[in-house]
Amino acid sequence: TVTGVQTCALPIFLQFGGSRLESGKPQLHGPSGWPKHARERMTQRTSSDTIACGLIDATDRLAARTALRAKRVALAAAQRAQADTQICDRLLELIDALAPSLMAVYWPMLGEPDLRALYQSWHQEGRVLLLPRVVSASAPLQFVRWQAGESLEEGPHGTRQPSSGQALLPDLILLPCLGFDAARHRLGYGGGYYDRTRALMPNTCSIGIAYEESEICNFKAQPHDLPLQVIVTPDRKSTRLNSSHSSVS
């Protein structure tokens, strides 16, 4: 242990970028394709192996949320713009591979990664985009059909949402992560909106979007904390797609 640095398990990320696509299906790079020394090292690791890392400790969720918000807001404008571009580039590849018909996106707030540059191009490709709408503080989100350029109204907690429109069930959800861990758990703002929503559609492909600075450790998952299928950051993709998610259309 290094003094002043939290000790936690080393995250393991399966890289999606640069993979070949066969028959429209993503081919994940797993241990079988790694160099021999890397495979041997993996067989020696156990779940109790830890390393010193500078991640935010999520043992106290409230404190972690405060630290994560501050860290994200403090990103320099140039760094944020570059990170958003890298995330968008990775998402283009992934969405092309998965080919969703109805895709739930989000309107960024509080320094979340900004994907709006992609929304117009996705519309032009014929993808149907949905934005979340808060119905009540205790209800699941409603996903409303939306086109880039349509006006939005203020929603709870500083959100922007469609004032009306056709509610549909998405076959893929893009959702922002305030924090995420190596097991693809998501830490949100604490309202439980996405948790309640995903509990009703656990097999819907859910892709978390985050900056590298949002990674956490010591996250104690509760029953409602369903892991995401994919997490995309500027530098990597953590992926656990199965055959049912190879194409979601």
Side-chain angles (χ1 to χ4, degrees), residues 67-77 80 109-112 211:
L68 287 164
R69 283 195 296 265
K71 198 172 185 180
R72 191 169 67 186
V73 170
L75 288 174
R80 183 186 302 278
M109 65 177 193
L110 302 176
E112 292 170 345
Y211 294 125

Side-chain angles (χ1 to χ4, degrees), residues 77-98:
Q79 181 183 3
R80 183 186 302 278
Q82 181 181 9
D84 288 345
T85 298
Q86 291 173 312
I87 290 174
C88 287
D89 288 344
R90 290 183 178 277
L91 268 179
L92 278 173
E93 177 191 2
L94 184 57
I95 297 304
D96 284 348
L98 295 176

Side-chain angles (χ1 to χ4, degrees), residues 103 105 119 122-123 127-131 144-147:
M103 179 164 51
V105 297
Y119 297 166
W122 282 337
H123 271 305
R127 303 195 192 282
V128 177
L129 301 187
L130 316 174
L131 278 178
V144 177
R145 186 166 183 166
W146 171 81
Q147 292 189 15

Side-chain angles (χ1 to χ4, degrees), residues 139-247:
L141 293 168
Q142 185 181 73
F143 294 107
V144 177
R145 186 166 183 166
W146 171 81
Q147 292 189 15
E150 290 183 345
S151 61
L152 301 172
E153 67 177 15
E154 290 188 15
H157 316 295
T159 59
R160 303 284 295 175
Q161 60 185 26
S163 58
S164 61
Q166 182 183 10
L168 299 168
L169 288 177
D171 46 30
L172 183 146
I173 302 172
L174 299 181
L175 60 164
C177 301
L178 180 58
F180 70 95
D181 73 358
R184 304 179 324 284
H185 293 116
R186 171 185 180 269
L187 180 66
Y189 299 108
Y193 293 103
Y194 277 110
D195 292 331
R196 288 189 292 275
T197 305
R198 295 187 61 227
L200 298 178
M201 48 181 76
N203 295 321
T204 299
C205 183
S206 297
I207 300 176
I209 308 298
Y211 294 125
E212 302 296 335
E213 292 78 6
S214 298
E215 190 172 356
I216 57 178
C217 59
N218 290 336
F219 181 78
K220 308 300 182 185
Q222 302 298 316
H224 63 269
D225 293 314
L226 301 177
L228 301 167
Q229 278 76 28
V230 185
I231 292 181
V232 176
T233 72
D235 293 340
R236 58 194 171 180
K237 293 185 183 77
S238 169
T239 311
R240 191 75 63 173
L241 290 174
N242 56 36
S243 58
S244 66
H245 296 124
S246 294
S247 176

Side-chain angles (χ1 to χ4, degrees), residues 105-128:
V105 297
Y106 66 88
W107 196 265
M109 65 177 193
L110 302 176
E112 292 170 345
D114 191 347
L115 312 180
R116 288 176 292 181
L118 291 177
Y119 297 166
Q120 183 64 49
S121 62
W122 282 337
H123 271 305
Q124 293 173 349
E125 292 174 3
R127 303 195 192 282
V128 177

